[in-house]
């Protein structure tokens, strides 16, 4: 799913994009979204902070992505990499990719309901009140992504 969303994000920016690898996505997306690789995803319930795309700052593939491919192609040798840490890291990576894919909606607070498990770091979020006939209905997250 991460591959599909990243490819879609590249094509959303340039319909002629032909890349098919994570390295091509990185080369294309890093200049367009310089904050993407620096963002942290929190799982407050478990006290975890994850930087799933941090390796992109150093022109490297995320560890969880390499682990996934090793398991996919050589499960018998690399089964130990099919672990909870890599699963959570990849889920955080997908979360950020989806936020950027739906960037316009995210920046307008239209991604409802808000995630209860994964949160983006506070520097990139504002909470806005949604009023219904003068009464507070709920708060929505507005993301500041670029």
């Amino acid at each position: 799913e991460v591959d599909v969303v990243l490819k879609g994000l590249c094509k959303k920016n340039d319909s002629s994009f032909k890349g098919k690898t994570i390295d091509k996505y990185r080369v294309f997306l890093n200049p367009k979204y310089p904050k993407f690789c620096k963002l942290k995803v929190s799982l407050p319930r478990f006290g975890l902070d994850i930087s799933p795309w941090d390796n992109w700052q150093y022109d490297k593939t995320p560890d969880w992505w390499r682990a996934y491919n090793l398991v996919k192609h050589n499960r018998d040798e690399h089964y130990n990499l099919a672990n909870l840490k890599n699963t959570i890291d990849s889920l955080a990576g997908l979360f950020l990719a989806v936020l950027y894919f739906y960037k316009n909606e995210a920046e307008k607070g239209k991604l409802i309901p808000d995630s209860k498990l994964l949160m983006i770091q506070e520097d990139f979020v504002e909470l806005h009140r949604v009023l219904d006939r003068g009464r507070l209905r709920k708060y929505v997250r507005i993301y500041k992504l670029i």
Side-chain angles (χ1 to χ4, degrees), residues 81-135:
L81 297 175
N83 57 47
L84 185 58
K85 180 187 182 329
N86 286 325
T87 301
I88 291 171
D89 290 352
S90 65
L91 184 59
L94 177 60
F95 177 67
L96 288 179
V98 167
L99 284 179
Y100 273 81
F101 187 82
Y102 293 105
K103 180 180 150 325
N104 292 334
E105 293 85 348
E107 290 177 339
K108 294 175 184 169
K110 293 185 176 181
L111 296 182
I112 298 171
D114 285 335
S115 171
K116 302 281 187 249
L117 178 64
L118 303 170
M119 307 283 181
I120 199 169
Q121 69 190 76
E122 292 301 319
D123 296 353
F124 298 94
V125 177
E126 292 177 11
L127 292 178
H128 286 254
R129 294 183 301 184
V130 175
L131 300 177
D132 184 16
R133 288 179 263 165
R135 297 181 136 166

Side-chain angles (χ1 to χ4, degrees), residues 15 31 39 46 50 58 63 72 78 85 119:
S15 60
L39 286 173
F46 302 104
I50 302 162
Y58 312 104
D63 295 337
K72 180 173 73 168
H78 301 286
K85 180 187 182 329
M119 307 283 181

